[in-house]
Amino acid sequence: MSTLAAMLLLLVTCFTISTSEGASSASRKCEDSLVTPLPNKFFHGSSEYGRGYGAAFAKLNRIQGAGGWSPLDTDRYQWLQVDLGSRKQVVSIATQGRHRSSDWTSQYRLLYSDTPNNWRPYLKDGNIWTFKGNNNSDNVVREDLQHAIVARYIRFIPLHWSQKGRIGLRLELYGCSHWADVISFDGHSIISYRFRSKKMKTLKDVISLKLKTTARDGVLLYGEGQQGDYILLELRRATMKLSINLGSSQYNLIQGHTSVTSGSLLDDGHWHSVVIERYRRNINFTLDHHTHQFRTNGEFEHLDLDYELTFGGLSESAKMSFGGKENFVGCMEGITYNGDNITNLVRRKKVDTSSFRNLTFTCAESSSFPVYFNSTSLLRLPGQRDSDVLSVSLSFRTWNPSGVLMFTQLAKGWLELGLIDGKVTVYINVTQKRSTHIDISSGLGLNDGQWHSVHLNALDNYAMLTVDGDEASTVRTAIPAQIKTGGTYYFGGYVSHTDSRSLQRSFQGCIQMIHIDDHLVDLQALEEGHIGTFENVSLDMCAIIDRCVPNHCEHGGKCSQTWDTFSCNCSGTGYSGATCHTYGSPFTWWVGRDNKRHFYWGGSGPGIQKCACGIENNCTSSKHYCNCDADLRTWKEDAGLLVYKDHLPVNKVVVGDTSRAGSEGKLTVGPLKCKGDRNFWNAASFTSPASSLHFKSFRSETSTDISFYFKTSSNHGVLLENLGASNFLHIEIRGGSMVLLSFDFGRNRMELTVHSPKPLNDDQWHRVEAEKNIKEAVLQLDGQYREVKATPPLGHTELEFYSDLYIGALSGQRGFLGCMRALKINGIFFNLEERAKVTPGVKPGCQGHCSSYNMHCRNGGKCVEQYNGYSCDCSLSAYDGPFCTDDVGGYFEAGTLVRYDFLTDHGASLLGDPRSFSDVGNLVNLTQEELVFSFSTYSAPSILVYISSRSQDYMAVVLRHNGSLQVRYSLGGLAEPYTIDIDHRNMANGQPHSVNITRNLRKIQLQLDHYTTSTYMLPKASETQFNLVKSIFLGKVFETGQIDPILIERYNSPGFVGCLSRVQLNNVAPLKAALRSGMKAPVSILGILVQSNCGASPLTIPPIQPANDIWQIDAGSALFSFKDEKIGADAVHHNLAVIGGTISLVILSVLCILVFVIRHMFRHKGSYHTNEAKGAESANCADAAIIVNDPAFTETIDESKKEWFI
């Protein structure tokens, strides 16, 4: 196979990236029991049900006391806390219910901390994880953590419990000790790590550290060289930013500065780990298990640093060039640089720490006490009553643009503090004399996840609002009357009042540092029940989650979020979909054959959505899959061959984004070349139920896409699957019209199905496209039919790798029989042909049993692939049998009729596959039809076939009184039906006759038996459309409405007597439907119909040439009046003489043969069986002898002989 290919070369601002695998190291065994050795005083609970139910009895497998912990109340405010004595690394959890009881915990959450406050929930898949617990009292359920945690205090929060009893819990934690030197930084101190030599020139670096802080800005690491090289790691608005420069060229023609950011919300007071691995220009930047791979700009590969590295801030010399940057405030541990343990060197006083006022190796904990609110949370706190001064301040962080922060009922009126569209807004309603509304607002974009402070004062007839302590943001407004406080303050929500204004939604986020009447509220006292009340809040923790980090929006899509979900803005990226994964309408495209647009470029293909560098994972920017999309200041290129012949040649290239300042581009289209289109037509044939192609595991990225083409004649088959222990992927055909995609998503199994209104087992190519991303799963069939489902928020990170992949089914499954081609997963084509060459039961290319044996399925039968061969589907044929060669016929007694109705939803089966009735809309209007049948009879006149309509249109085939055939068409436009009379032949002679009538608009072709086809034309005045086909009648007409009276008077009584067989109108076989009880069809029988094989196959002798055919009729004389003719007596006597002589010769021959046979039998004293055809001796002519000798026609209609004349 050869195709045309074109090379398309793009040169735009860009460069090339490559990645390196991060170093991996085996961790030591960490499986110690951490809970069992602890003394009782290290266990605490929210409450206990009674003596013997305390927290100290919650050790795994212990039966002392009541056999476990159970709290006094059974609700979601209960907790069990374990103090591990020191910071430990925890890798696994095991739980039990209370011993021999009906008390257990079926679901729970896990919180951890270094101190007994400021809790952090265990996260997985970017969400607060819910662990599965127990469903009985004594079985142990163990769950390994996806990432180990380091903490001293562990708290369990029961979410669901036994329906038969109460909360019950016993537990064990597995892990090991955690040793690390901790250093506290106060914002003035730095660590100066001096190099052994004055300069350090490295090709490879590994730097790691852990940090904990509540400050959102601060320098963590800095080093510089005199040649302009530097490395800077810093916190910027609670995100981690790494800046590095390996050097720039002379005159700065090539800039080496590179800067990337990672993470967010790093000011949460919890530990975060950072690892920087560099080899030449390739860098792995890992923050809390998320790795960002990139390449530095420029052309240099060494990092040249002078004198020292500083940790915790900038050196004095660096402050000159990086002025304004704050030093780090918080704690660090595990600082290492190229194998040197910096924190250990500090403890040993081997590095300069002279800037420290008080060097401590402990970490001071934050005194903040955050409160976590969801959409149903409420915090109720007391304040001064009837005071003329209202003073409230707080800090909050949220992603939602709107929500209630605080509400209070005044003595006369109410006051509400909240967020509206990212602004802090105050509503005051004073109702002393008349209702007065006052609105003030301040701030902008405050729903950015950062901590923001709000201070509201109302006194002396004015109100003042300040945001983030910025006096410039302070807003003042006058109040027409003095306010009086009500004494109760609601935070995060409130009980609705009829005279209050409700904001869009309750607050979702975190609030801390609440001051009422200028006093800090003791939230610890709130937790202990001494002041206020709360509903559905989590105290002493802020479980805010950044759903945009890591950014799941691909191809440069912009991520935005609310508290519950995120969304992607794909504008300007050229991509679409929930995560900007689907190729959309980019700015630039090329036009190929048939004037169609194409959006892929050289080295790629349709639907891959990546340039060549994206496929090879070496693009300039890891955020983009084409070098040109990075839009940098250096000239690079995307280049390669266009190899899909159906799209070529390239006729035009369109560039849309030409108005961007400072951006240049160059497009080059190379010459056409002859290349093989190997990927698109790379195919394999599956011929066995156990056959499958095995491929090694493939990487499942955050977004995974799969596409391929298949064709089959089977109803079922597994197309693609893997059966890993933790990951499952499965695509199959069901029922011949449905494709099913199922896969594991964490603990959930998702299924998507797409139904096709047309059969998929039609041995035609069909395309399947499947995509899974963090937002949704999509299954699409043939580019038209699709299903989309939202994916669960939990479980996506468990799909790191799939196990081995199988194309086809594993042993024991119902395998795929057919062909598959162009299999592509995550932009990579799989070479099916090469793997098929070494796989039993699979052949390269598209082959199969039907490719070799399809010709054996006759008379419209369809070849269907089977596991061990093939079969013939005769459902679209009027024949039956293994090869669709057996006649299906029936003997009609007088008055018998068969009626087949085209219902309102079945009429279109005349135009297509009657098995796909669901695809039918209205009754069919025919402009072409083909009617085929065979018959044999001695009776005339009679109606053979009558096709009625809901209009006055009809078609009829009748036998006239003299046995001749007549075809009648009434399609409108004519006063009388158009008739075709075959007067020269008596067809009511007891012999089988075949009829084939085909019409296409006005042209009618008629073939009788083995004679040549005759052509007729409908008059120009006649319509050509057979409107609203209603029913087919065989043998007789029993119909309501207007019917041609000639048919009823001359031909309908007493009805057809004889045999009809293989009756078929287009794709409908009414007689077969009537005789086969297993076929569901709108068919009815009146009278006695007996199945018979009386139908005759077409004669096997070749057609008689018109010149030698004494029966040949001139088509132009088709329309004429019928005249009965009498046969002369001389002709009769002549024929009788001929017949008599023939009979005499036959009798004499038979007698001679009998004498010979009898002598032979007596000679051998045995029996003799002949296989000679019986009945030939009674044939009236040569043609009849051929028919009688055919084994298919051994039955006769009437055993009595009758003479017939020509």
Side-chain angles (χ1 to χ4, degrees):
M1 181 189 307
S2 64
T3 69
L4 293 177
M7 176 180 286
L8 183 62
L9 182 66
L10 277 82
L11 299 176
V12 181
T13 324
C14 32
F15 70 93
T16 306
I17 183 172
S18 64
T19 61
S20 63
E21 294 294 331
S24 62
S25 61
S27 59
R28 63 182 176 86
K29 193 72 172 178
C30 188
E31 285 285 334
D32 301 334
S33 294
L34 303 180
V35 173
T36 298
L38 295 175
N40 292 348
K41 65 179 181 179
F42 282 53
F43 295 83
H44 299 86
S46 54
S47 63
E48 57 186 52
Y49 185 61
R51 187 174 182 180
Y53 293 82
F57 296 103
K59 295 182 180 180
L60 196 72
N61 293 323
R62 295 297 175 90
I63 60 175
Q64 289 83 1
W69 169 72
S70 284
L72 178 62
D73 299 318
T74 300
D75 55 38
R76 291 195 173 192
Y77 295 110
Q78 308 308 311
W79 49 265
L80 174 67
Q81 180 177 307
V82 180
D83 179 1
L84 299 177
S86 62
R87 295 176 67 199
K88 296 290 195 300
Q89 181 175 326
V90 181
V91 299
S92 185
I93 306 171
T95 60
Q96 282 177 304
R98 194 170 59 81
H99 179 59
R100 290 186 179 180
S101 72
S102 298
D103 303 341
W104 57 79
T105 301
S106 55
Q107 288 186 358
Y108 62 94
R109 284 179 179 163
L110 179 68
L111 310 180
Y112 60 97
S113 178
D114 287 350
T115 63
N117 53 39
N118 191 25
W119 296 97
R120 184 181 191 182
Y122 179 78
L123 301 180
K124 187 177 179 181
D125 300 338
N127 292 274
I128 300 175
W129 190 252
T130 298
F131 290 88
K132 284 189 176 181
N134 305 89
N135 55 16
N136 56 44
S137 61
D138 290 300
N139 286 351
V140 176
V141 175
R142 175 167 173 166
E143 184 157 353
D144 296 329
L145 302 183
Q146 186 181 45
H147 300 296
I149 60 175
V150 176
R152 174 176 174 177
Y153 294 90
I154 305 292
R155 180 175 283 191
F156 293 81
I157 310 295
L159 299 178
H160 295 282
W161 42 85
S162 167
Q163 296 181 354
K164 302 176 182 179
R166 311 174 56 80
I167 295 173
L169 183 63
R170 289 178 287 170
L171 61 94
E172 181 61 272
L173 300 173
Y174 298 96
C176 53
S177 298
H178 175 76
W179 302 101
D181 291 314
V182 179
I183 302 175
S184 181
F185 294 80
D186 60 4
H188 302 283
S189 308
I190 64 171
I191 297 174
S192 177
Y193 172 70
R194 300 287 176 87
F195 302 137
R196 294 181 178 86
S197 58
K198 291 185 177 181
K199 293 186 177 181
M200 182 68 69
K201 183 175 183 178
T202 60
L203 193 66
K204 176 181 178 181
D205 293 300
V206 178
I207 305 172
S208 64
L209 59 87
K210 292 184 178 179
L211 70 142
K212 181 167 70 169
T213 183
T214 56
R216 66 179 190 175
D217 298 294
V219 174
L220 297 168
L221 161 71
Y222 180 74
E224 65 177 358
Q226 294 180 355
Q227 296 181 357
D229 294 15
Y230 61 83
I231 181 171
L232 172 64
L233 180 67
E234 61 178 323
L235 281 173
R236 181 78 64 87
R237 289 180 57 83
T239 64
M240 192 66 66
K241 181 178 181 181
L242 172 63
S243 301
I244 188 169
N245 189 345
L246 300 183
S248 301
S249 64
Q250 192 174 13
Y251 308 115
N252 289 327
L253 294 177
I254 300 178
Q255 293 288 340
H257 171 77
T258 308
S259 181
V260 297
T261 60
S262 182
S264 69
L265 309 175
L266 301 179
D267 58 346
D268 58 359
H270 297 290
W271 286 105
H272 300 277
S273 63
V274 182
V275 179
I276 303 170
E277 301 167 294
R278 181 186 70 87
Y279 180 68
R280 299 181 185 272
R281 294 171 54 205
N282 303 309
I283 295 181
N284 290 340
F285 181 30
T286 303
L287 175 65
D288 292 338
H289 311 290
H290 295 288
T291 300
H292 186 179
Q293 297 178 330
F294 66 96
R295 280 172 63 88
T296 60
N297 297 328
E299 298 177 348
F300 300 100
E301 297 181 334
H302 289 83
L303 178 61
D304 296 311
L305 300 179
D306 294 338
Y307 304 115
E308 65 180 0
L309 277 177
T310 59
F311 297 90
L314 297 174
S315 62
E316 291 299 326
S317 60
K319 290 181 180 179
M320 301 295 293
S321 53
F322 290 96
K325 291 188 179 295
E326 300 179 12
N327 285 358
F328 175 70
V329 178
C331 303
M332 291 193 209
E333 72 173 18
I335 306 173
T336 64
Y337 169 72
N338 290 344
D340 288 343
N341 189 327
I342 306 300
T343 47
N344 182 262
L345 293 176
V346 171
R347 180 177 286 275
R348 295 163 51 199
K349 300 181 180 180
K350 297 295 185 180
V351 296
D352 182 9
T353 58
S354 58
S355 62
F356 282 81
R357 300 175 184 174
N358 182 21
L359 179 60
T360 61
F361 296 96
T362 59
C363 191
E365 298 300 328
S366 171
S367 60
S368 62
F369 194 101
V371 181
Y372 176 62
F373 292 81
N374 60 40
S375 60
T376 61
S377 300
L378 175 65
L379 185 63
R380 185 183 298 106
L381 294 173
Q384 293 183 9
R385 186 177 182 87
D386 293 328
S387 173
D388 56 1
V389 177
L390 185 148
S391 177
V392 175
S393 65
L394 56 86
S395 295
F396 72 91
R397 71 190 318 172
T398 184
W399 299 114
N400 286 351
S402 302
V404 177
L405 291 172
M406 185 275 295
F407 171 85
T408 183
Q409 194 78 37
L410 303 176
K412 293 184 179 180
W414 50 265
L415 182 147
E416 186 176 271
L417 172 68
L419 277 178
I420 293 292
D421 296 330
K423 297 180 180 180
V424 174
T425 304
V426 178
Y427 295 101
I428 304 175
N429 187 350
V430 181
T431 59
Q432 287 184 356
K433 297 180 180 179
R434 57 187 178 87
S435 180
T436 304
H437 294 275
I438 301 171
D439 299 349
I440 58 175
S441 62
S442 180
L444 183 66
L446 301 179
N447 57 319
D448 57 359
Q450 303 292 322
W451 282 111
H452 297 283
S453 63
V454 179
H455 193 171
L456 172 65
N457 280 325
L459 71 162
D460 296 335
N461 299 105
Y462 77 92
M464 182 172 64
L465 175 66
T466 303
V467 175
D468 288 336
D470 184 6
E471 294 185 0
S473 70
T474 301
V475 179
R476 293 171 177 261
T477 186
I479 302 175
Q482 187 72 38
I483 66 171
K484 292 290 184 180
T485 59
T488 303
Y489 296 83
Y490 300 88
F491 293 86
Y494 55 86
V495 179
S496 179
H497 296 272
T498 56
D499 58 347
S500 66
R501 171 172 176 171
S502 176
L503 294 176
Q504 296 180 19
R505 59 186 300 179
S506 298
F507 177 74
Q508 290 179 285
C510 302
I511 296 178
Q512 66 179 8
M513 306 300 292
I514 300 176
H515 289 76
I516 299 176
D517 301 326
D518 294 326
H519 294 289
L520 178 65
V521 176
D522 185 0
L523 296 178
Q524 187 76 44
L526 171 71
E527 184 179 30
E528 296 171 355
H530 301 312
I531 61 170
T533 60
F534 56 88
E535 298 177 11
N536 297 325
V537 300
S538 298
L539 298 173
D540 207 5
M541 81 171 188
C542 180
I544 185 171
I545 298 171
D546 192 340
R547 303 183 186 278
C548 288
V549 176
N551 186 4
H552 299 293
C553 302
E554 303 178 40
H555 305 106
K558 296 181 180 180
C559 181
S560 60
Q561 62 185 307
T562 62
W563 197 257
D564 303 310
T565 186
F566 74 96
S567 58
C568 296
N569 184 350
C570 307
S571 59
T573 66
Y575 293 82
S576 60
T579 58
C580 307
H581 181 78
T582 306
Y583 209 55
S585 300
F587 294 118
T588 305
W589 64 86
W590 56 276
V591 179
R593 189 185 304 183
D594 300 328
N595 204 34
K596 292 184 178 179
R597 296 181 179 182
H598 302 288
F599 304 99
Y600 64 94
W601 300 101
S604 184
I608 295 180
Q609 307 170 12
K610 299 178 181 179
C611 293
C613 71
I615 297 174
E616 299 171 2
N617 291 322
N618 61 358
C619 289
T620 297
S621 170
S622 60
K623 297 181 180 179
H624 303 283
Y625 293 119
C626 290
N627 288 323
C628 303
D629 290 340
D631 203 15
L632 301 178
R633 297 184 179 180
T634 54
W635 283 98
K636 295 294 179 179
E637 68 181 35
D638 288 306
L641 293 175
L642 300 172
V643 297
Y644 293 91
K645 64 178 182 179
D646 294 339
H647 298 168
L648 298 174
V650 178
N651 296 321
K652 181 170 60 175
V653 178
V654 178
V655 180
D657 56 340
T658 57
S659 59
R660 289 188 297 127
S663 179
E664 296 181 81
K666 179 182 179 182
L667 290 169
T668 303
V669 180
L672 291 171
K673 297 180 180 179
C674 184
K675 290 286 184 179
D677 194 355
R678 295 181 180 178
N679 290 331
F680 196 68
W681 294 104
N682 189 296
S685 304
F686 298 81
T687 60
S688 165
S691 62
S692 62
L693 295 179
H694 175 215
F695 291 92
K696 294 296 183 181
S697 60
F698 68 92
R699 178 69 179 266
S700 175
E701 302 170 357
T702 303
S703 295
T704 299
D705 57 88
I706 302 172
S707 66
F708 57 86
Y709 292 84
F710 76 90
K711 69 174 179 177
T712 183
S713 54
S714 298
N715 288 333
H716 298 81
V718 177
L719 296 166
L720 176 149
E721 69 177 349
N722 81 300
L723 299 177
S726 59
N727 297 308
F728 172 80
L729 175 68
H730 185 90
I731 303 177
E732 70 168 302
I733 310 170
R734 286 186 181 176
S737 62
M738 182 181 77
V739 173
L740 167 73
L741 164 67
S742 56
F743 62 92
D744 283 346
F745 205 89
R747 295 172 178 167
N748 303 290
R749 177 157 294 181
M750 291 193 65
E751 285 194 357
L752 288 84
T753 56
V754 174
H755 294 265
S756 172
K758 301 178 181 178
L760 300 176
N761 58 338
D762 56 358
D763 209 28
Q764 301 296 319
W765 287 112
H766 299 278
R767 190 181 189 195
V768 175
E769 298 169 273
E771 179 187 342
K772 179 273 304 178
N773 58 56
I774 193 174
K775 291 281 288 185
E776 63 186 17
V778 182
L779 177 63
Q780 184 164 285
L781 176 64
D782 291 336
Q784 305 179 61
Y785 318 109
R786 70 197 310 254
E787 183 181 20
V788 181
K789 282 187 178 180
T791 53
L794 305 178
H796 60 86
T797 59
E798 294 185 353
L799 302 179
E800 294 285 340
F801 289 88
Y802 284 111
S803 59
D804 291 359
L805 180 70
Y806 293 88
I807 313 303
L810 292 175
S811 179
Q813 300 275 348
R814 189 165 188 175
F816 170 66
L817 294 175
C819 298
M820 182 182 293
R821 66 175 173 89
L823 173 64
K824 182 178 59 179
I825 300 178
N826 293 336
I828 305 299
F829 279 100
F830 282 60
N831 195 333
L832 303 179
E833 292 185 353
E834 286 299 319
R835 190 59 55 91
K837 292 177 182 178
V838 295
T839 305
V842 187
K843 298 179 181 180
C846 191
Q847 305 174 16
H849 298 99
C850 287
S851 301
S852 303
Y853 303 107
N854 186 50
M855 71 292 295
H856 292 173
C857 297
R858 311 296 295 273
N859 301 308
K862 178 185 176 184
C863 183
V864 178
E865 294 284 353
Q866 299 291 336
Y867 290 145
N868 299 317
Y870 73 99
S871 65
C872 296
D873 179 5
C874 306
S875 59
L876 296 182
S877 170
Y879 292 78
D880 215 340
F883 304 101
C884 307
T885 55
D886 296 348
D887 275 352
V888 178
Y891 182 75
F892 288 67
E893 295 188 357
T896 299
L897 69 85
V898 172
R899 174 173 178 165
Y900 186 102
D901 294 323
F902 295 100
L903 305 179
T904 56
D905 58 345
H906 291 178
S909 58
L910 289 171
L911 297 178
D913 189 342
R915 294 172 296 182
S916 59
F917 288 151
S918 60
D919 192 34
V920 176
N922 300 319
L923 289 173
V924 70
N925 298 318
L926 295 176
T927 57
Q928 58 184 23
E929 68 274 340
E930 181 179 17
L931 175 64
V932 181
F933 65 93
S934 294
F935 72 95
S936 58
T937 185
Y938 286 110
S939 66
S942 62
I943 295 178
L944 299 174
V945 180
Y946 177 83
I947 306 172
S948 68
S949 70
R950 284 178 166 77
S951 62
Q952 296 183 6
D953 297 355
Y954 76 87
M955 174 192 176
V957 183
V958 302
L959 285 177
R960 303 175 70 185
H961 292 77
N962 66 345
S964 65
L965 193 74
Q966 183 182 79
V967 181
R968 302 173 68 89
Y969 267 103
S970 178
L971 303 183
L974 299 177
E976 297 294 334
Y978 175 75
T979 61
I980 300 174
D981 293 315
I982 314 301
D983 279 349
H984 291 86
R985 304 175 188 176
N986 177 11
M987 307 192 76
N989 56 7
Q991 301 301 320
H993 297 281
S994 63
V995 180
N996 186 310
I997 304 171
T998 304
R999 180 182 71 92
N1000 187 353
L1001 297 175
R1002 299 187 188 282
K1003 184 178 180 180
I1004 301 174
Q1005 292 183 307
L1006 173 64
Q1007 183 177 14
L1008 300 178
D1009 297 334
H1010 59 286
Y1011 298 102
T1012 56
T1013 302
S1014 300
T1015 302
Y1016 310 89
M1017 299 296 293
L1018 287 172
K1020 293 183 179 180
S1022 173
E1023 300 289 341
T1024 59
Q1025 182 166 283
F1026 197 152
N1027 294 304
L1028 303 178
V1029 177
K1030 180 182 178 183
S1031 304
I1032 300 177
F1033 291 89
L1034 305 179
K1036 192 173 182 178
V1037 178
F1038 186 76
E1039 177 71 296
T1040 59
Q1042 186 175 358
I1043 304 177
D1044 188 346
I1046 296 178
L1047 288 174
I1048 302 301
E1049 294 171 4
R1050 297 184 182 180
Y1051 309 115
N1052 203 40
S1053 295
F1056 175 73
V1057 178
C1059 268
L1060 277 174
S1061 66
R1062 48 183 165 174
V1063 183
Q1064 185 160 349
L1065 175 64
N1066 288 1
N1067 285 324
V1068 175
L1071 185 58
K1072 181 179 177 180
L1075 293 170
R1076 296 292 184 263
S1077 59
M1079 296 181 65
K1080 295 181 179 180
V1083 63
S1084 57
I1085 303 172
L1086 180 63
I1088 299 176
L1089 177 67
V1090 180
Q1091 183 170 342
S1092 172
N1093 64 348
C1094 56
S1097 296
L1099 297 177
T1100 56
I1101 61 176
I1104 300 176
Q1105 297 298 323
N1108 302 324
D1109 185 6
I1110 60 173
W1111 285 358
Q1112 180 65 27
I1113 301 175
D1114 184 4
S1117 61
L1119 186 61
F1120 53 86
S1121 59
F1122 175 76
K1123 295 180 180 180
D1124 291 331
E1125 296 182 4
K1126 295 183 179 180
I1127 302 174
D1130 293 340
V1132 173
H1133 292 310
H1134 174 73
N1135 289 333
L1136 289 174
V1138 173
I1139 292 172
T1142 302
I1143 292 175
S1144 300
L1145 290 174
V1146 171
I1147 292 173
L1148 180 63
S1149 300
V1150 169
L1151 289 174
C1152 294
I1153 292 173
L1154 286 175
V1155 172
F1156 176 79
V1157 169
I1158 292 171
R1159 292 185 61 188
H1160 182 77
M1161 291 176 60
F1162 279 101
R1163 178 181 299 176
H1164 293 282
K1165 293 181 170 35
S1167 62
Y1168 176 73
H1169 298 276
T1170 179
N1171 290 323
E1172 293 179 357
K1174 305 296 190 299
E1177 65 273 11
S1178 63
N1180 294 326
C1181 65
D1183 289 352
I1186 294 173
I1187 295 173
V1188 174
N1189 278 331
D1190 193 326
F1193 310 119
T1194 58
E1195 249 184 48
T1196 59
I1197 299 173
D1198 195 334
E1199 294 299 331
S1200 63
K1201 292 192 62 178
K1202 293 186 179 181
E1203 294 182 338
W1204 54 283
F1205 303 93
I1206 298 178

